[in-house]
Amino acid sequence: MLKGKRILIGVTGGIAAYKIPYLVRLFKKEGAEVKVVATPYALKFVTPLTLSVVSENPVLTEFFDSKDGTWNSHVELGLWADVIIIAPLTANTMAKMVTGITDNLLLATVLSARCDVFTVPAMDMDMYKHKVTTQNVKKLKELGYKVIEPASGELASGLNGIGRMQEPEIIFEKVKRHLLSKNDFAGKKVLVTAGPTHEPIDPVRFIGNNSSGLMGIEIAKAFADRGAEVDLVLGPTHLTVEHPEINVHKVNTADEMFKECDKIKDKYDIAVLSAAVADFTPKKKAGSKIKKEEGIDSLELESTKDILAHLGKNKKENQFLTGFALETDNELENAKSKLKRKNLDLIVLNSLKDKGAGFGVNTNVVTFIDKNGNIDKFPVMPKSEVASNLVNKIKNLIQ
Ligand code: CTP
């Protein structure tokens, strides 16, 4: 998704430098090209070998290579980058940046750059709260640098407070969003449901399904990457979601998912309900563990509330509602009838018969059916691509 994008990561001498190889990996995994420029002190905290292996580029520190005397041109580096990220940014480098000092390759590169520069300050709490740092952060912003403010938490000094470098995932998502910066969903509120639900039989047993939630998580990310504010109502899954624009509401049961969605039902512009919600739940949930000797002769079930139908019933004129249909027989007909019955604008059909579709795989095979009767059938593709196609389809339909 970031294929062809060139990211220059500047590392300065803070303890959080040990997290930078992971940040590099996140960009590489998305197909970006990454180069690292480090200050000499940064290399006390992270080895150049690690950084060069993960970035697949030599790590640059000095204006001149000490072995063969090659000149590392800061001007070329500055012009090469589509974006520069300085993480962690120490108080020292920050102070130099706001005064234009260029006593190392990184500072000279930043001064030569024409692209956007993200800075990620990280330092001890008292240093960060110091008046001079507050002024320097303000100056950074005035000079047009983007600042990813530090988080609060445990610091290397043993103190607890503001100063921790934001996690690589957060930095990555912010920069990625900026790079993609189509932002064509800015100002839109999107509701997504994802994952399975667990319907308890007793405190240790439940009725569930094999959904991982990956499809819905990719949909939430695809909208958030394009500027939307996303509420993701997520059933129990081992997957985690780290995205500054995704508000995750964790739930376990169909009833909890219903209640969360009901709270949001009047606020969304676009909803995509991809969760594999249990259709039935045990009528009685035992308060304590059912002992084996007691046995269970039968389990009486009752229907759960249909969240999608509920949102369809309460849909306002300017709201756009998307459902999923997982079918095994008469796929197209069943999906079309679901679209009508639940008052949807679009339905995503995935058939369990298709190889590479459904639960537990990273790919999916889908057909979009919109309320005007248009049918778009896609071949097998990664769920992230399905998500991106779905967002494009919705974009066309709401225009
Ligand atoms: N869905 C929901 N709430 C439920 C059950 C399903 O919101 N209690 C949503 C799913 O998230 C999906 C859509 O309904 O978007 C279709 O789910 P599916 O299980 O395929 O269809 P059902 O309506 O349950 O009908 P059937 O089982 O008869 O196919």
Side-chain angles (χ1 to χ4, degrees):
M1 252 177 132
L2 292 179
K3 215 161 180 214
K5 297 282 180 207
R6 292 177 296 213
I7 324 271
L8 185 78
I9 302 187
V11 191
T12 75
I15 179 69
Y18 81 92
K19 294 185 178 174
I20 301 308
Y22 182 52
L23 179 65
V24 174
R25 285 271 298 137
L26 290 173
F27 282 110
K28 291 293 290 181
K29 265 176 40 195
E30 287 271 316
E33 263 183 79
V34 181
K35 286 187 181 176
V36 177
V37 177
T39 63
Y41 267 121
L43 301 182
K44 304 259 179 213
F45 295 98
V46 60
T47 74
L49 182 64
T50 312
L51 289 166
S52 72
V53 168
V54 289
S55 68
E56 296 176 277
N57 269 314
V59 175
L60 308 171
T61 313
E62 307 289 348
F63 287 104
F64 291 95
D65 191 301
S66 54
K67 275 184 239 123
D68 58 9
T70 330
W71 185 46
N72 292 322
S73 165
H74 54 278
V75 179
E76 259 174 44
L77 277 170
L79 293 179
W80 173 84
D82 290 316
V83 71
I84 295 181
I85 307 164
I86 309 181
L89 173 66
T90 57
N92 180 44
T93 297
M94 185 192 291
K96 290 179 180 177
M97 277 175 72
V98 298
T99 47
I101 294 173
T102 54
D103 63 357
N104 63 39
L105 179 65
L106 173 56
L107 286 160
T109 303
V110 172
L111 211 59
S112 314
R114 292 186 194 159
C115 62
D116 283 312
V117 178
F118 281 76
T119 60
V120 195
M123 63 198 75
D124 207 53
M125 176 174 72
D126 295 311
M127 287 174 85
Y128 191 71
K129 283 186 171 169
H130 196 286
K131 268 191 208 148
V132 131
T133 311
T134 309
Q135 275 175 16
N136 285 344
V137 170
K138 196 163 159 253
K139 277 189 213 159
L140 273 181
K141 289 179 185 166
E142 284 165 359
L143 289 166
Y145 295 113
K146 297 186 185 303
V147 181
I148 302 180
E149 310 260 359
S152 285
E154 224 178 293
L155 301 166
S157 61
L159 292 175
N160 211 297
I162 189 146
R164 271 175 75 93
M165 186 181 82
Q166 286 289 358
E167 289 305 319
E169 284 92 347
I170 300 280
I171 304 169
F172 167 74
E173 289 296 350
K174 281 199 190 268
V175 176
K176 178 178 155 193
R177 207 177 134 209
H178 171 81
L179 283 168
L180 297 174
S181 78
K182 276 170 97 182
N183 268 3
D184 49 353
F185 281 85
K188 295 275 181 216
K189 289 190 189 307
V190 176
L191 164 66
V192 179
T193 67
T197 62
H198 286 177
E199 307 304 319
I201 297 167
D202 68 13
V204 292
R205 303 179 179 96
F206 60 81
I207 299 173
N209 60 63
N210 285 327
S211 165
S212 66
L214 180 64
M215 189 64 251
I217 290 173
E218 292 294 351
I219 293 167
K221 280 191 191 161
F223 274 113
D225 281 345
R226 287 167 69 164
E229 208 183 292
V230 182
D231 282 296
L232 172 63
V233 182
L234 183 62
T237 167
H238 63 282
L239 298 176
T240 53
V241 187
E242 297 262 12
H243 195 298
E245 307 309 323
I246 303 179
N247 185 15
V248 183
H249 308 250
K250 286 199 173 163
V251 294
N252 276 309
T253 64
D255 194 47
E256 286 167 12
M257 191 172 272
F258 178 88
K259 284 181 179 141
E260 277 312 301
C261 292
D262 187 53
K263 279 189 226 158
I264 302 167
K265 77 170 188 304
D266 296 325
K267 295 185 224 149
Y268 73 84
D269 298 302
I270 297 158
V272 180
L273 301 205
S274 68
V277 189
D279 289 322
F280 306 100
T281 189
K283 207 164 181 179
K284 281 196 201 119
K285 292 144 175 74
S288 43
K289 188 183 169 197
I290 301 167
K291 301 301 286 176
K292 205 164 35 186
E293 303 85 69
E294 290 170 39
I296 306 178
D297 294 334
S298 63
L299 202 55
E300 207 181 336
L301 301 174
E302 62 184 356
S303 295
T304 56
K305 289 182 196 138
D306 191 318
I307 307 164
L308 186 60
H310 177 65
L311 294 198
K313 212 169 151 197
N314 291 284
K315 193 174 71 171
K316 295 190 209 125
E317 214 176 289
N318 55 353
Q319 289 184 313
F320 188 97
L321 183 57
T322 313
F324 267 68
L326 185 64
E327 305 291 343
T328 49
D329 308 290
N330 278 339
E331 291 108 334
L332 219 47
E333 286 322 303
N334 279 333
K336 279 185 192 166
S337 112
K338 236 172 240 180
L339 174 95
K340 258 210 164 129
R341 211 170 58 236
K342 300 197 189 186
N343 191 25
L344 311 180
D345 299 288
L346 177 66
I347 195 155
V348 181
L349 162 68
N350 40 155
S351 163
L352 274 185
K353 282 182 184 161
D354 287 317
K355 226 175 155 211
F359 296 153
V361 286
N362 291 335
T363 52
N364 209 349
V365 186
V366 298
T367 304
F368 298 159
I369 305 156
D370 68 31
K371 69 170 175 202
N372 309 318
N374 299 313
I375 298 175
D376 305 302
K377 196 168 170 23
F378 295 88
V380 61
M381 58 177 66
K383 284 182 174 166
S384 56
E385 249 172 74
V386 173
S388 152
N389 286 333
L390 179 62
V391 173
N392 288 335
K393 174 76 186 178
I394 292 175
K395 174 82 188 169
N396 289 336
L397 289 170
I398 60 173
Q399 264 169 355

